[in-house]
Amino acid sequence: WDLAEEARKGGNQNCPRILVLNRSDDFTLYRITLKNSPNFHVAYSGGNGFTAWGVIINTPKNARNTDGIDPGASTNVTITHCFIHTGDDNVAIKAGGRCSHITIAHNHFYTGHGMSIGSETNGGADTIRVTDLSIDGADNGIRIKSNSTKGGKVTDAVYEDICIRDTKNPIYMDSDYAHAARDGGKIPWFTGVVLKDVRVEGAGTITLQGFDAEHRLGMTFDNVQFDSL
């Protein structure tokens, strides 16, 4: 983690991840605990059929770049009955290659950067279902993030039965993530995003940012309640 902090000032961060799973079809993690990873805990990429069931991830909130579970360029992914407390994205769908048919259900997130898609979306992401999720004490809640250097289309993403509490950015749609130049050729476009039966408790900031007039944010709110905003 000290190396990660030093990397903020320049140079390279050279920290291992606990699990790196590439082109591994039908891979299951069942009822295991991962603790104090130096970098990402689980990175799954380029596969068809990945299940994380009953996984506990527990790492301090100030541990930089310690994502919980990151499926990338994959299809038929299920993350369920997991408890994730970490210092970066609790779950991040990394769509540098196409990501589709991803189900994230019956999970509990604590400190971290939330339920994220991105920042790579240039491969496209679709058919994503997030249901029965609690987020408590995180920096971000529901977040889609990208920019014009690695953007693409995110569509058919449905979030249902979500409770977000004491989170700085409960809903964060960011098409200029990390304030990259807006003149790149890979345009982020978030459309067909649905929030249904979502409740937000505690103060926080809502960000709803499309990219431009041709790539507006397409988002539907259905029974979304803000108790303190």
Side-chain angles (χ1 to χ4, degrees):
W1 302 332
D2 290 341
L3 291 175
E5 290 302 323
E6 287 296 319
R8 292 184 192 270
K9 307 170 188 176
N12 297 315
Q13 176 187 352
N14 187 14
C15 296
R17 303 170 179 181
I18 290 182
L19 286 172
V20 178
L21 311 167
N22 293 326
R23 297 179 296 278
S24 301
D25 293 345
D26 301 321
F27 194 102
T28 298
L29 299 176
Y30 179 65
R31 296 183 65 181
I32 64 171
T33 296
L34 304 174
K35 187 175 177 65
N36 294 340
S37 179
N39 197 264
F40 296 176
H41 289 76
V42 180
Y44 179 83
S45 181
N48 178 9
F50 170 70
T51 298
W53 188 303
V55 175
I56 297 172
I57 292 174
N58 188 5
T59 295
K61 66 180 296 182
N62 62 347
R64 184 170 180 244
N65 291 340
T66 53
D67 289 23
I69 302 174
D70 288 1
S74 303
T75 190
N76 295 319
V77 171
T78 300
I79 300 170
T80 188
H81 300 287
C82 296
F83 296 79
I84 303 177
H85 180 296
T86 190
D88 210 305
D89 293 315
N90 301 82
V91 167
I93 298 170
K94 302 286 192 180
R98 185 188 174 203
C99 288
S100 67
H101 296 86
I102 295 177
T103 299
I104 299 164
H106 317 304
N107 298 291
H108 301 276
F109 295 170
Y110 302 95
T111 66
H113 293 179
M115 176 60 243
S116 297
I117 301 174
S119 55
E120 304 91 329
T121 61
N122 49 292
D126 64 85
T127 324
I128 296 165
R129 299 294 181 266
V130 181
T131 185
D132 187 22
L133 170 65
S134 69
I135 301 174
D136 193 356
D139 286 348
N140 306 297
I142 296 169
R143 179 166 71 154
I144 305 178
K145 53 178 177 170
S146 195
N147 60 47
S148 64
T149 68
K150 49 188 171 184
K153 189 175 183 180
V154 177
T155 190
D156 191 16
V158 179
Y159 303 81
E160 185 173 6
D161 191 16
I162 315 292
C163 183
I164 303 171
R165 183 171 67 179
D166 296 335
T167 294
K168 295 178 184 177
N169 300 286
I171 301 170
Y172 202 164
M173 303 291 112
D174 185 2
S175 64
D176 189 26
Y177 176 69
H179 303 291
R182 296 183 64 84
D183 56 358
K186 298 178 180 179
I187 306 302
W189 186 18
F190 314 149
T191 188
V193 180
V194 176
L195 270 60
K196 182 178 181 181
D197 298 331
V198 176
R199 182 167 181 175
V200 177
E201 297 182 356
T205 301
I206 305 298
T207 300
L208 305 174
Q209 181 189 57
F211 187 81
D212 56 23
E214 288 74 37
H215 303 89
R216 302 185 183 194
L217 175 64
M219 194 168 183
T220 300
F221 284 57
D222 181 357
N223 190 31
V224 178
Q225 302 179 43
F226 302 97
D227 288 358
S228 303
L229 298 181

